[in-house]
Amino acid sequence: MTYKTLVDILENNRGVDRAVCYVDGENSERRISYGDVYTRALGILHHLQALGAARGDHMIIFLSNNEQFLDGFWAAVCGGIVPVPLAVGISDEHRHKLLRVAAKLGKPWLYTDAKNLARLEDLAAQLGESALFAQLRSRSFLVESITDISRSAVLHRPNPEDPAFIQFSSGSTSEPKGVILTHGNLVANTISSTAVDRFTTDDISLSWMPLTHDMGLIGFYLMQFANRVHINLMPTELFVRRPLLWLQTASKKHATITCSPNFGYRHFLKVLGDRKLEGVDLSSIRLIYNGAEPISVELCNEFMDTLAYTGLKRQAMYPVYGLAEASLAVTLPKLGAEFRWMRVNRHRLNVGTRVEQNPEDPRDALELVCCGEPIPQTQVRIADDERGTIADGHVGHILIRGPNVTRGFIGDAEATALAIDAEGWLDTGDLGFLYEGSLYITGRSKEIIFVNGQNYYPYDLENIAQRVPGLELGKVVAAGVRKPAQQVEELIVFVLHRGSTPEFLPTAIAVGRLINELTGLEVAQVVPVKRIPKTTSGKVQRHLLEQGYADGEFDAELAELAQLRERQSGGARVSGSELEARLQGICETVLEGKRVDVSDNLFEIGASSLKLIEIHETIDRDFPGLIDLTELFDHPTIHELAKHLEAKLAQAVLPVSA
């Protein structure tokens, strides 16, 4: 099969007996044949062209429904319109990001639904961006308006160098960067990855990764579609609510390929607990990709050991390294071998330093997983701070070059010039080393915080925290820290405070609540520090604070803060009405280990977006269809939510007028 663009792939596959299966529940799914994918794309494109959308335009896709998302994506691609996928999320920060991206793009089209458009309008009014929203609304296409796709559009045949879509960073960024990926980039990565991983038409894939993420859209949709694989897609929120359904579905479908970032394995194991998956056979899985965030060796072993009884082979665990700028894959392990790792001295990982293996003191040991070798056509080079090549076994900046690598960022010539040099080498922003031809990732030079498979920029979170009275930039430092005994990174916020610990408690609560409310992220600790270490040029030395926290330097202050919180909450519980008691029980079950009073603000006590989804799912099970997930933001205490739900229940039982 020969192809040079995504349109070639779509056309070549319209007659094959394969389908995309959208899994919405245990016994709920919808099957769309490859041929129907093509037909629907041209039918929807007809409507977009009738509105005036044309070749070279940008179209933001802002939908949480996978099927609607991909219909819009293919329609745009077939018309030479450049799709710009953005995550809907559950907080205003995601909608604010859309407005920032729209401003960067100029005059994009917006492919969304009425509910999301209404929420976007409300936020734009609050932010004073009504003029920008008015322009977006005039160029919006609502999926509810699609009633007839019988008329085909004019198909545009792109060149390999034409942009296929724009991939914006997945986290919260005040100045979002959009990676331009061409048809040629994506085809090159698909061909090279296929050569290593040997996808065939007998493969069956299953993914719950969001389609706004490069692993979800490229790795587990476009790449699989190109190889005529049986594709199964599960909504991310369904996995979050019911993680066990992921592997139960894999067993039912006899999946051969699936994936998860670090946090997904941890979430699955936590919900599974001491139970076993009855009747689950995972012996058909040949590859279970592990990427998208730093990989925990301990967690890989725990996951594989826990599920060994299902027939899941250790050789199936497949740690990989990739990024959007590479159209996804950079390095992949050899097939058929167990995953490998190396123990190194955590204190000997600076740029230019030779890696010290197997340190004598166990406290110095850090386990780094092997992410495999560079894929065909992709070059990897380890460089010093001046971009000079350094020897294998030494830590440095990871640079990449190849036909799959982006040529730049949309509307940002400065960022493009900083990232890509005259010879085409792109600085990934990550640090690592090559050993015996394989890549090991040690850290990152761009100071990105990885939480729950997403990347967040410290400056943005610090901007949010400094809205707390008395705080300002330079006095707040956000960081991602993983202590030696932990499997994943935690979000830690350091705040300059020279007073007593009791005086700091209100600030700690306010900072945690504000970041939680605006990003859906749970702040593990807000740490009072006497000094913010900086370089002579005034740049914050984030790594010194991270190291101090990991070494237990602030444990005494944090223990005192925990005691103060406990004392403040008091021993007495306010149970209130029966409805409040039921909601209180739900919250305390989901927020395991936390005591929740009916007057507690869920954001103040650290209910992450994952936990909010769990809480909503449980409430919806008891009171179907009455509470929308976003209403938890409007009624963040049990008392307020109970009153709101009580009104909904009263309305639901009112007699219908004759």
Side-chain angles (χ1 to χ4, degrees), residues 115-403:
K115 192 173 185 179
N116 279 311
L117 189 66
R119 287 175 177 162
L120 189 63
E121 182 176 20
D122 291 342
L123 179 65
Q126 294 172 31
L127 298 174
E129 295 282 9
S130 294
L132 175 59
F133 174 78
Q135 183 186 85
L136 267 176
R137 181 169 55 189
S138 71
R139 295 170 67 83
S140 293
F141 183 84
L142 301 182
V143 293
E144 294 94 340
S145 67
I146 303 172
T147 56
D148 178 19
I149 57 170
S150 61
R151 289 175 291 179
S152 290
V154 178
L155 178 68
H156 166 70
R157 298 189 186 282
N159 296 312
E161 62 271 18
D162 289 343
F165 71 96
I166 309 294
Q167 177 74 52
F168 275 88
S169 52
S170 58
S172 158
T173 57
S174 54
E175 287 297 329
K177 284 197 303 184
V179 180
I180 303 170
L181 296 177
T182 66
H183 289 267
N185 291 151
L186 293 160
V187 167
N189 199 260
T190 296
I191 291 172
S192 295
S193 298
T194 300
V196 178
D197 289 343
R198 301 175 192 170
F199 303 122
T200 75
T201 54
D202 293 328
D203 274 317
I204 301 167
S205 69
L206 170 64
S207 171
W208 54 262
M209 292 290 286
L211 292 172
T212 50
H213 193 287
D214 46 356
M215 185 184 280
L217 179 56
I218 302 173
F220 274 80
Y221 181 73
L222 295 177
M223 201 174 285
Q224 306 307 320
F225 194 95
N227 283 286
R228 299 177 174 178
V229 169
H230 298 272
I231 299 171
N232 295 279
L233 299 177
M234 177 185 290
T236 304
E237 288 190 4
L238 179 58
F239 167 77
V240 171
R241 296 194 308 263
R242 300 184 58 192
L244 304 189
L245 189 59
W246 167 39
L247 294 185
Q248 289 168 338
T249 303
S251 174
K252 178 181 174 183
K253 298 281 186 181
H254 305 290
T256 61
I257 305 168
T258 188
C259 64
S260 176
N262 215 46
F263 95 90
Y265 298 109
R266 176 174 51 83
H267 182 51
F268 177 92
L269 290 173
K270 184 176 180 181
V271 173
L272 180 65
D274 296 328
R275 292 177 290 170
K276 288 190 179 295
L277 293 173
E278 298 296 335
V280 167
D281 180 358
L282 302 179
S283 59
S284 61
I285 294 179
R286 68 182 187 90
L287 294 174
I288 180 165
Y289 288 77
N290 189 342
E293 65 177 1
I295 299 169
S296 165
V297 173
E298 182 185 1
L299 189 55
C300 287
N301 281 315
E302 182 185 354
F303 184 83
M304 300 308 288
D305 291 345
T306 300
L307 293 168
Y309 70 91
T310 66
L312 183 62
K313 298 177 284 290
R314 284 191 67 83
Q315 294 91 333
M317 177 55 68
Y318 201 63
V320 298
Y321 173 66
L323 61 158
E325 287 89 336
S327 306
L328 188 59
V330 174
T331 62
L332 297 172
K334 285 185 168 65
L335 291 182
E338 285 193 24
F339 65 98
R340 296 180 289 129
W341 64 92
M342 182 187 295
R343 288 185 178 87
V344 301
N345 189 328
R346 67 175 65 251
H347 305 296
R348 299 278 297 163
L349 296 176
N350 296 327
V351 173
T353 303
R354 183 177 182 80
V355 173
E356 179 189 317
Q357 295 190 47
N358 301 316
E360 292 183 10
D361 190 338
R363 292 174 299 178
D364 294 335
L366 174 66
E367 293 180 332
L368 299 176
V369 74
C370 173
C371 293
E373 301 175 359
I375 63 173
Q377 302 186 76
T378 300
Q379 297 171 274
V380 174
R381 182 163 66 88
I382 307 300
D384 59 23
D385 290 334
E386 285 71 45
R387 289 201 179 219
T389 300
I390 54 181
D392 284 8
H394 289 71
V395 176
H397 301 271
I398 301 172
L399 309 185
I400 60 174
R401 183 171 68 176

